[in-house]
Amino acid sequence: MAGPNTPVMQQHAAAKRVQPDAIVFFRLGDFYEMFGDDAVVCSRALDLTLTSRNKGKPDEVPMAGVPHHAAHQYIARLLALGHKVAICEQMADPSKVKGIVPREVVRVITPGLVTDREQLDARSNNWLAALECSGERVGIALFDLSTGELAVAEVEDLAALLAELGRAGPREVLVGAADAGLAESASAALRQTLPVASVQSDPPLDDASVDLGVFAPDARSLGPLALAAAARALRFARACTPGKELPLRRVARWDPQAHLVIDAVAQRHLELTESASGLRQATLLGVIDVTESAAGARLLRRRLLAPLVDVGRIRRRHDQVELFVVHPRLRADVRAALSDVTDLERIVSRASLGEANPRELGSLRDGLAAAARVFSVLGSVEDRESRETLGLVGPRDLCSDLAAELMRALVERPPAQAKEGAIFADAYDAELDELDALQKTGAERMAELETQLRDSTGINTLKLRFTRVFGWYIEVTRSQAGKTPTNWRRKQTVRSGERYTTPELDDLADKITNAEERYRERELDLLRELVRAVAQAGNRISELSGRLARWDVASAMAEVAHRYDYSRPVVDDSDRLELGESRHPVVERLAAKGRFVPNDVQLALDAERLWLITGPNMAGKSTLLRQTALCVILAQLGGFVPAASARIGVVDRVLSRVGASDDVARGESTFMVEMRETAEILRRATRRSLLILDEIGRGTSTYDGLAIAWAVAEHIDEAVQCRALFATHYHELTELGNGSEHVANHCVSAREVGQDVVFLHRLVPGAASRSYGIAVARLAGLPEAVLARAKAILVGLEGSGGSVVHKPRRADAQLGLFERPEPEDPGAREVLDTLRALDVDRMTPLEALGLLSRLKNRLT
Ligand code: ADP
């Protein structure tokens, strides 16, 4: 490709030099065009037609384009693929400049720096994570450009880093270190581990970029790595928003120690924010998020992934929830007012970046009015204690000055774009009103002039018209052209007739155009001023938004407690975990009304601290394990719990290993994954942790599996000594419960009725008497012949006696069932293998259908 030799292509080359790793969206009139490699990439990724510019000339270059008004959709798709996009705009009105329009990159959009509403999820933060690595230690900064929040922390090691990133779920990660090589290798490693499309290494910092100014006054307490990480995040964000003021509201020092650690595995297994099925209603967040505002929803999500460990703070949150529970009227009124609170934080951030449009300002005005209503509703709370609980004492700032200004300034429903209609209300600005009047009288005078010309010439078809290119003119049909006065100047001849102008028309036309232009300019000036005023109130609005979000969360937790009958947990520093009649918050919602069977759990470090739970498949073991962990998480995030009573000695970590098969898809054997997770759990658990282990050892042969499960349970009992629930189908393990004072056997009961099994889902002390495997197999629809054969084998196996470990059960029985000649066809063998490995109990009907179709494909 020859070098760019037209001025436009030179501009493009300059933009590309500044942003070499971004796709440059180059504004040409009503389009954004991409050139060269960018065009090729975009044509593939966005399914655009690839054309070329300067076709047939030596500097021919590939080109692809999108209309500017549809650009955000295309940008969103590129970001999802991990690209960056640099927007290169025309910096002047093309009609007003002689020669080439100046163009500059005004914004680089990366996945972590999105501010466009349509590309953001209103209910979660959009974090950019910047890391500063030094040996094992890592400084983390999380910056959300769309809300102006910045949180910084330092962690000890990789595992802690992954836990923190797991909570945040950043869209983009910058990995840096004093040594560029270290940054490079660390980012390569993280790219493998993190489910983030964009993980990149970031060049080392120089001293100048660590600007302490923004962190004052407690910057020094942050620690050098945290500080460097923050500097890195801000350096990156600044480079992507040239010439703009970064919205930076709250710099929060994040203390990982102050929060319950929910490791990534537990987060997934407990289906806190995402479910295996992909259904939102099947997650804890889906059940408890009844917040009314976007900021409230974001706060709840953050709290859910980072519950507290400080008893005092947890109780203060419970106090608020309780207040809203016992005052249903107050709760309803507050929630009604909150539902009109718009996304103040995000609008203000866009104002800081100069991106806020008139419609958003209108939405800010309405949101501030709703905020005032929230305060006035809460104003009905009179006793001092309740007011303190709600945080109503002390100064309040409703930003009423700004609210009033917006109220005065804007029309009822301002348009999204400046050119789409009036933005400002009458009587807001004298100059604007005057220009508006001029435009209007201009139009009237034009109409008058038309009548006057018709009368004076007697040409009754005469018209005054306007086109963009020719401006105003008099149009006369060809047949009447003879009647025109001689002093009219002919402008143009068209098929339909002749076009003229007169000095009087020119004069009036100038006045109108002038008034229009000056109106637009004045409007834009006023808009800029208003946006600036909003940006200046940024910290105040953000503060206000934070208070509203906290009330939103508290009243939402109260609403959930009321709707679903949750109760206030007692959280203390004890080492107990006592749940009376607890339920699984999600399963109980999906179950038929009244069908969920509540259960009790009672653990204490000096008494029974490890419960071994046995019972047939489908009895409810996993559900019990998960609900216990979920109750702890709910309690510590400040919510009420789905139980009749709860006493929870604060837990520092929830660690879980709940049988999952989805890791198989990532190409590792289930057993390997399971053992790695188990190893991790045993390494991390402290005496304050809660361990949830489900079906350890399942992924291997019976002997190995049992041996490992046994050893793990013993290790927890003797070495870790924390509260734990351990579900297993290895019946033999229950012997452990008979040997240790801290281990107790419980089973989820089922009853055999004739040949069938009925699940009671009720947890009772003692070990399950039988495995019911065959009854469950019947329930699943295994043919009678197979069931009969299985029974015979079982009787044989049980009859063979021997010591516990020598009593093979499951795997060997399976071998017996499948002792048949193997098919020759590898496809058929594969299908058989898949079927054998299948755990039907754990499949949803949808998954089963999907599998069936995949199997069929493999055979045909
Ligand atoms: P297991 O782990 O013992 O195989 P699960 O915990 O997966 O069993 O439970 C199987 C199904 O039984 C769940 O999907 C749920 O629908 C139902 N279930 C579990 N516990 C209860 C309960 N306490 N009350 C009512 N239904 C339950």
Side-chain angles (χ1 to χ4, degrees):
M1 193 174 79
N5 53 16
T6 62
V8 165
M9 291 313 290
Q10 278 161 6
Q11 279 184 339
H12 180 268
K16 196 72 198 170
R17 264 197 305 280
V18 186
Q19 296 296 337
D21 54 350
I23 290 176
V24 173
F25 269 45
F26 190 81
R27 184 72 178 262
L28 277 179
D30 286 338
F31 278 78
Y32 286 112
E33 302 288 359
M34 285 70 79
F35 297 113
D37 292 344
D38 288 354
V40 178
V41 169
C42 288
S43 75
R44 286 206 202 109
L46 305 174
D47 209 11
L48 302 175
T49 316
L50 193 62
T51 58
S52 53
R53 188 174 168 94
N54 304 332
K55 208 175 181 79
K57 306 219 179 98
D59 59 348
E60 175 170 344
V61 54
M63 173 169 101
V66 299
H68 80 98
H69 58 82
H72 58 263
Q73 304 164 21
Y74 293 104
I75 294 171
R77 279 158 67 188
L78 289 172
L79 294 182
L81 293 170
H83 292 291
K84 292 179 176 186
V85 175
I87 307 290
C88 185
E89 282 295 349
Q90 300 176 160
M91 302 307 284
D93 184 342
S95 66
K96 295 224 183 102
V97 277
K98 287 214 186 77
I100 181 166
V101 192
R103 290 186 175 83
E104 270 172 36
V105 173
V106 294
R107 173 87 147 86
V108 182
I109 308 172
T110 73
L113 294 178
V114 172
T115 47
D116 181 358
R117 224 178 124 101
E118 304 193 36
Q119 289 176 41
L120 289 169
D121 173 4
R123 304 181 86 80
S124 54
N125 277 100
N126 194 75
W127 296 117
L128 163 77
L131 310 180
E132 186 73 23
C133 309
S134 169
E136 280 277 276
R137 288 187 72 81
V138 185
I140 312 174
L142 292 166
F143 180 51
D144 185 343
L145 179 67
S146 71
T147 60
E149 290 156 289
L150 175 66
V152 292
E154 265 184 49
V155 292
E156 301 293 318
D157 56 20
L158 181 69
L161 170 67
L162 292 178
E164 291 311 321
L165 291 179
R167 293 190 214 270
R171 286 283 307 275
E172 183 171 12
V173 182
L174 306 174
V175 188
D179 168 37
L182 174 60
E184 200 54 63
S185 59
S187 67
L190 285 171
R191 212 167 286 138
Q192 303 292 318
T193 325
L194 293 173
V196 180
S198 175
V199 178
Q200 46 190 306
S201 68
D202 196 52
L205 291 167
D206 48 51
D207 288 344
S209 48
V210 185
D211 170 13
L212 288 173
V214 299
F215 303 117
D218 68 339
R220 263 151 253 282
S221 70
L222 288 176
L225 288 179
L227 212 55
R232 194 176 282 290
L234 297 182
R235 179 178 73 175
F236 182 80
R238 285 203 178 102
C240 291
T241 54
K244 310 251 169 75
E245 180 86 17
L246 273 193
L248 188 59
R249 311 287 169 225
R250 268 172 266 145
V251 182
R253 186 180 163 190
W254 179 262
D255 178 8
Q257 310 287 338
H259 299 271
L260 172 65
V261 178
I262 310 171
D263 64 344
V265 178
Q267 220 184 87
R268 190 154 24 94
H269 289 159
L270 296 171
E271 301 185 303
L272 298 182
T273 56
E274 267 159 57
S275 70
S277 62
L279 284 181
R280 187 184 138 80
Q281 308 95 284
T283 65
L284 180 61
L285 187 62
V287 170
I288 64 170
D289 183 6
V290 299
T291 53
E292 296 285 356
S293 67
R298 291 196 291 270
L299 180 63
L300 175 59
R301 189 191 170 89
R302 283 205 302 271
R303 286 188 177 176
L304 170 58
L305 294 173
L308 300 172
V309 293
D310 181 81
V311 171
R313 285 178 73 190
I314 294 170
R315 286 194 188 149
R316 279 196 290 281
R317 288 189 188 171
H318 289 159
D319 288 342
Q320 278 201 6
V321 177
E322 183 165 325
L323 204 123
F324 284 118
V325 167
V326 298
H327 298 292
R329 183 62 199 273
L330 180 70
R331 179 175 79 237
D333 291 349
V334 163
R335 284 169 54 76
L338 281 165
S339 72
D340 292 329
V341 173
T342 50
D343 204 338
L344 309 179
E345 275 179 324
R346 283 199 165 151
I347 298 173
V348 168
S349 279
R350 284 172 55 79
S352 299
L353 293 167
E355 292 172 354
N357 66 38
R359 183 173 293 166
E360 288 168 312
L361 296 183
S363 155
L364 177 63
R365 168 198 61 195
D366 301 343
L368 290 175
R373 289 202 296 281
V374 173
F375 273 85
S376 94
V377 168
L378 291 175
S380 68
V381 178
E382 276 166 3
D383 70 293
R384 175 139 190 111
E385 204 186 319
S386 302
R387 293 184 64 80
E388 260 166 21
T389 300
L390 289 171
L392 278 170
V393 287
R396 66 158 80 164
D397 178 4
L398 285 170
C399 305
S400 9
D401 46 343
L402 184 70
E405 177 71 1
L406 289 167
M407 200 84 86
R408 207 165 68 77
L410 299 168
V411 296
E412 166 106 25
R413 290 164 163 273
Q417 295 308 325
K419 285 181 200 133
E420 290 168 359
I423 299 170
F424 294 100
D426 288 346
Y428 173 59
D429 179 65
E431 190 179 336
L432 199 65
D433 285 349
E434 197 181 307
L435 292 168
D436 185 44
L438 262 178
Q439 281 186 74
K440 287 197 180 118
T441 53
E444 278 161 24
R445 289 204 21 220
M446 216 31 110
E448 279 165 20
L449 181 64
E450 191 178 64
T451 325
Q452 186 194 328
L453 289 172
R454 274 184 198 161
D455 292 350
S456 65
T457 58
I459 309 174
N460 52 8
T461 55
L462 175 150
K463 285 193 184 98
L464 284 184
R465 312 186 96 166
F466 173 82
T467 65
R468 257 193 181 286
V469 182
F470 285 102
W472 285 96
Y473 54 84
I474 309 168
E475 188 164 287
V476 177
T477 56
R478 187 152 297 185
S479 57
Q480 307 265 34
K483 295 192 195 166
T484 54
T486 49
N487 64 342
W488 287 13
R489 194 160 54 77
R490 184 151 65 212
K491 257 185 141 172
Q492 200 193 13
T493 305
V494 291
R495 188 178 302 174
S496 54
E498 300 284 344
R499 293 176 175 178
Y500 302 90
T501 182
T502 68
E504 194 187 359
L505 176 60
D506 284 348
D507 197 39
L508 184 56
D510 273 356
K511 277 195 183 128
I512 291 181
T513 330
N514 206 320
E516 258 173 26
E517 227 163 72
R518 279 171 55 210
Y519 182 90
R520 292 260 159 271
E521 274 165 17
R522 180 70 190 157
E523 208 178 41
L524 284 180
D525 283 348
L526 290 173
L527 186 62
R528 263 192 294 271
E529 257 170 54
L530 201 55
V531 167
R532 206 172 301 131
V534 169
Q536 265 165 13
N539 287 330
R540 296 165 59 205
I541 295 177
S542 154
E543 185 72 33
L544 174 64
S545 172
R547 299 182 82 175
L548 297 170
R550 290 192 287 277
W551 289 323
D552 194 5
V553 170
S555 55
M557 291 304 90
E559 179 68 21
V560 169
H562 164 77
R563 274 191 211 168
Y564 306 142
D565 199 16
Y566 288 9
S567 44
R568 177 173 178 155
V570 176
V571 173
D572 56 23
D573 278 319
S574 74
D575 56 18
R576 300 173 171 275
L577 177 48
E578 299 170 356
L579 302 174
E581 297 185 30
S582 72
R583 291 114 49 197
H584 190 295
V586 180
V587 176
E588 80 162 340
R589 299 266 55 82
L590 302 175
K593 202 170 158 44
R595 293 298 294 278
F596 194 90
V597 181
N599 276 306
D600 298 344
V601 173
Q602 285 210 331
L603 303 174
L605 287 194
D606 56 0
E608 295 177 0
R609 57 186 178 225
L610 170 63
W611 274 17
L612 272 173
I613 297 166
T614 46
N617 270 341
M618 291 303 284
K621 301 186 294 299
S622 293
T623 307
L624 180 86
L625 261 52
R626 291 176 208 227
Q627 80 193 35
T628 306
L630 292 176
C631 284
V632 168
I633 290 172
L634 269 170
Q636 291 187 209
L637 78 83
F640 283 16
V641 297
S645 66
R647 178 175 177 197
I648 296 168
V650 161
V651 168
D652 67 350
R653 282 165 194 271
V654 169
L655 297 157
S656 95
R657 186 21 258 185
V658 177
S661 47
D662 48 350
D663 288 279
V664 182
R666 291 204 309 211
E668 280 177 282
S669 84
T670 327
F671 184 62
M672 186 61 201
V673 171
E674 181 179 323
M675 286 302 109
R676 233 196 7 214
E677 290 176 4
T678 310
E680 183 65 22
I681 286 174
L682 296 182
R683 210 173 15 246
R684 307 242 140 225
T686 74
R687 287 201 84 195
R688 277 231 157 264
S689 304
L690 173 66
L691 241 65
I692 297 292
L693 297 159
D694 192 358
E695 302 283 18
I696 291 289
R698 216 180 192 205
T700 183
S701 79
T702 309
Y703 293 143
D704 282 0
L706 174 55
I708 289 168
W710 193 297
V712 168
E714 253 176 23
H715 182 78
I716 296 170
D717 177 27
E718 287 160 14
V720 184
Q721 304 188 344
C722 66
R723 289 163 287 181
L725 296 179
F726 195 120
T728 180
H729 69 281
Y730 291 119
H731 205 66
E732 296 81 352
L733 265 188
T734 53
E735 282 201 2
L736 202 63
N738 305 329
S740 162
E741 56 173 319
H742 295 304
V743 182
N745 287 321
H746 287 264
C747 67
V748 192
S749 54
R751 179 185 299 147
E752 270 186 282
V753 179
Q755 289 199 315
D756 288 329
V757 58
V758 175
F759 299 116
L760 304 175
H761 300 304
R762 164 96 45 218
L763 193 66
V764 292
S769 58
R770 316 185 42 160
S771 106
Y772 301 92
I774 292 175
V776 174
R778 168 171 292 112
L779 218 62
L782 226 57
E784 278 303 324
V786 177
L787 294 173
R789 171 82 183 115
K791 240 184 194 163
I793 294 172
L794 183 65
V795 171
L797 288 173
E798 282 180 345
S800 72
S803 71
V804 233
V805 180
H806 287 113
K807 198 192 276 175
R809 187 157 284 174
R810 193 184 168 109
D812 292 24
Q814 282 181 354
L815 273 181
L817 286 176
F818 288 104
E819 256 166 26
R820 290 196 207 107
E822 291 285 312
E824 297 281 295
D825 172 19
R829 271 212 305 273
E830 205 187 323
V831 169
L832 269 185
D833 288 343
T834 310
L835 281 173
R836 275 169 204 157
L838 207 63
D839 188 349
V840 179
D841 297 344
R842 293 185 183 279
M843 294 183 89
T844 65
L846 211 59
E847 284 166 353
L849 272 181
L851 180 72
L852 207 55
S853 105
R854 281 198 300 282
L855 291 180
K856 189 165 173 204
N857 282 342
R858 241 178 272 170
L859 283 179
T860 48

